[in-house]
Amino acid sequence: ILNVEQSPQSLHVQEGDSTNFTCSFPSSNFYALHWYRWETAKSPEALFVMTLNGDEKKKGRISATLNTKEGYSYLYIKGSQPEDSATYLCAFTNSGGGADGLTFGKGTHLIIQP
Amino acid sequence: EAGVAQSPRYKIIEKRQSVAFWCNPISGHATLYWYQQILGQGPKLLIQFQNNGVVDDSQLPKDRFSAERLKGVDSTLKIQPAKLEDSAVYLCASSSIGRRVTDTQYFGPGTRLTVL
């Protein structure tokens, strides 16, 4: 059984502040780590797919890092804006078998306070 | 480019009734996934199709859930009969190639099912 853990479960951040949260995953048989942003009543939106140890990706004010040896990824948001309010999900794929369905964490629910 | 379409968006049924959800993936995407997201949990994979063949249905409760993808395009997920614990958001996703774990999975808006 693969377990993906995300922390914190929820987070209140003042507009303009920067924030970060964590995703932990099994380090054995690692293949890829995905980050999604899911706003209420909308489709989950893909942010990043990361595969290499030490990888760092950036999209606007959002960036992510990956450590496959110790099994964690950080997501950073710089200068939070109200539109950043969403649930941020990470998902893991291992190299076992031919299927590539994602194993998700429970998410970090981010609320940006004006 | 149109995204993944799902219908209905919301459904309320009584327990022991049947329900079906429909998904139309992004045009040309060979791989289609159904996920179940129960409140407070992360989405859980139910079934993965590659074209019209099943790749993984190990977490699909086959006594009550069924899914098909005729002609390798649209897909339907059915629950018969529904139980209270089936209340969840059912998400459909598609990817262009699949079986390559770096492919992005694109999600639809989901169907929120409430079983009373």
Side-chain angles (χ1 to χ4, degrees):
Chain A
I1 295 177
L2 302 174
N3 276 324
V4 178
E5 302 288 340
Q6 290 190 249
S7 64
Q9 283 190 4
S10 64
L11 191 56
H12 287 72
V13 174
Q14 207 66 28
E15 181 178 355
D17 288 351
S18 296
T19 187
N20 64 85
F21 22 95
T22 307
C23 172
S24 301
F25 53 87
S27 56
S28 60
N29 297 323
F30 172 85
Y31 246 41
L33 194 284
H34 299 241
W35 280 101
Y36 284 87
R37 174 170 60 199
W38 194 3
E39 295 179 63
T40 303
K42 294 187 178 180
S43 305
E45 173 196 357
L47 292 174
F48 307 112
V49 180
M50 307 174 78
T51 57
L52 299 176
N53 185 45
D55 207 2
E56 185 169 338
K57 296 215 172 179
K58 190 175 180 181
K59 184 177 181 178
R61 295 180 291 100
I62 303 176
S63 60
T65 61
L66 180 66
N67 183 321
T68 62
K69 293 184 178 179
E70 296 183 40
Y72 65 83
S73 175
Y74 292 135
L75 189 81
Y76 300 90
I77 301 178
K78 186 177 178 181
S80 303
Q81 299 296 311
E83 59 264 30
D84 296 329
S85 295
T87 296
Y88 290 81
L89 293 164
C90 74
F92 163 84
T93 308
N94 72 352
S95 56
D100 62 354
L102 299 175
T103 299
F104 281 89
K106 294 181 181 181
T108 292
H109 184 50
L110 177 66
I111 298 171
I112 307 301
Q113 297 170 323
Chain B
E1 180 182 72
V4 176
Q6 290 188 247
S7 68
R9 292 293 307 275
Y10 304 91
K11 189 74 176 179
I12 300 173
I13 62 172
E14 301 277 336
K15 61 182 178 184
R16 291 187 289 273
Q17 285 187 321
S18 302
V19 65
F21 314 127
W22 173 82
C23 173
N24 180 238
I26 292 172
S27 177
H29 279 195
T31 308
L32 185 146
Y33 312 79
W34 283 102
Y35 291 85
Q36 177 195 56
Q37 195 248 344
I38 293 172
L39 187 65
Q41 304 290 320
K44 181 184 83 171
L45 179 71
L46 292 176
I47 190 166
Q48 176 185 346
F49 291 95
Q50 180 80 11
N51 296 307
N52 60 351
V54 175
V55 174
D56 182 5
D57 64 356
S58 58
Q59 299 188 91
L60 186 74
K62 299 180 184 65
D63 57 333
R64 297 183 300 105
F65 285 64
S66 64
E68 60 182 9
R69 191 183 184 198
L70 299 176
K71 301 181 182 178
V73 182
D74 293 5
S75 177
T76 55
L77 176 70
K78 296 179 182 178
I79 308 175
Q80 181 180 9
K83 292 185 176 181
L84 296 176
E85 59 260 37
D86 298 331
S87 295
V89 175
Y90 291 84
L91 292 163
C92 179
S94 69
S95 66
S96 59
I97 297 174
R99 303 182 72 95
R100 202 173 72 185
V101 296
T102 55
D103 290 334
T104 295
Q105 294 184 24
Y106 296 91
F107 283 83
T111 296
R112 182 176 296 276
L113 174 68
T114 302
V115 182
L116 302 175

